[in-house]
Structures are given as structure tokens and as C-alpha cells.
Amino acid sequence: MADTAGDNHGDKTQEEPQAQEDLGQQQAAQDKPQVSGKDWGKAVAERDEKIAALEAQVAEAAKNAEAAERLRGEIAELKAQGESDRIDFRLQLAGVRNVKAARAILADHGGDEYTTVAPPPRAGSRATTS
């Protein structure tokens, strides 16, 4: 008898999830409005219009991303040119006669213009010799 009681209990627990699943499907079917052929066609057309609008937005965003990337490239080039000009100017202020040669030496020293060029003597200072 203990076996039959266990079997009945097992059958009941298997039936409950199935009943709950059936109830959930019925509720889901009730939540969906019944759509006539005309309404369905209108809903599909509206959805298609929305999809087309979103695709246009994606295309516009892609164009903007390409433009932004191109501008970032131009900005990077201008920054590099500005840095190069700044180094040339500092080398000239330091009294370098051949900037191209100084740049070659500069590259050998990791780009630190302070280690490759001695500062020019200040006006009015005396050079001391020992």
C-alpha cells in the first residue's frame, strides 16, 4: 500500500506543472488581441515602416561614425604636425643649425630634446673654467 500512495503522490506532482503550463498558455492566448485581416495588414505595414525608419537611422549613424573617424584621423595628424613643429622650434631656440641632423640625433635619444642639446649660454653670464 505504501507503494501506491507514493505513486499517487508522484502522479499528482507531475499533473500540477502540466496544468500550470496549460493555464499559462491559455492566459497568453487571451492576452493577444484577435486581429482581423485588415488590422493585421495595417499592423504589418506599420511595423515595416518602423523597420525602414530604424534602418535609415542606422545608415545615418554609420555615415556619422565614418565622418567622425575621418575627423579623428585629421586631428591626430594635426597634433603630430604640431608636436613636430614644437620640437623644431625648440631646437632652433637652442641654437641648432641643422634641425634635420638634430632630429636624427634626437631619435637616437628617445625624442628628449633636453638630453641632446645643451642650452645656449644666457646673456650676461660668464663661463667658468676650472
Side-chain angles (χ1 to χ4, degrees):
M1 289 242 188
D3 290 335
T4 56
D7 289 338
N8 287 341
H9 181 65
D11 290 339
K12 186 177 179 184
T13 57
Q14 289 177 355
E15 291 174 4
E16 287 177 7
Q18 182 64 35
Q20 289 175 351
E21 186 176 318
D22 291 341
L23 181 62
Q25 289 174 350
Q26 289 173 356
Q27 287 176 348
Q30 290 173 357
D31 291 342
K32 291 182 181 177
Q34 297 298 323
V35 180
S36 69
K38 291 180 183 178
D39 292 339
W40 181 79
K42 184 178 178 182
V44 169
E46 288 175 358
R47 186 200 63 222
D48 289 345
E49 287 176 15
K50 186 172 183 177
I51 289 171
L54 291 173
E55 287 175 341
Q57 288 177 358
V58 167
E60 186 64 30
K63 288 179 187 176
N64 288 339
E66 290 171 2
E69 189 60 34
R70 187 181 73 250
L71 290 173
R72 283 187 198 102
E74 288 180 27
I75 290 169
E77 288 177 22
L78 288 173
K79 283 183 176 181
Q81 183 62 44
E83 180 66 16
S84 177
D85 291 345
R86 183 191 66 80
I87 291 171
D88 288 350
F89 181 71
R90 293 184 105 176
L91 288 171
Q92 289 172 354
L93 283 177
V96 171
R97 292 183 184 168
N98 187 339
V99 174
K100 187 174 181 180
R103 279 195 162 271
I105 294 170
L106 195 62
D108 292 342
H109 292 279
D112 185 8
E113 67 262 20
Y114 294 110
T115 61
T116 57
V117 178
R122 293 183 181 219
S125 65
R126 295 184 184 178
T128 58
T129 57
S130 28

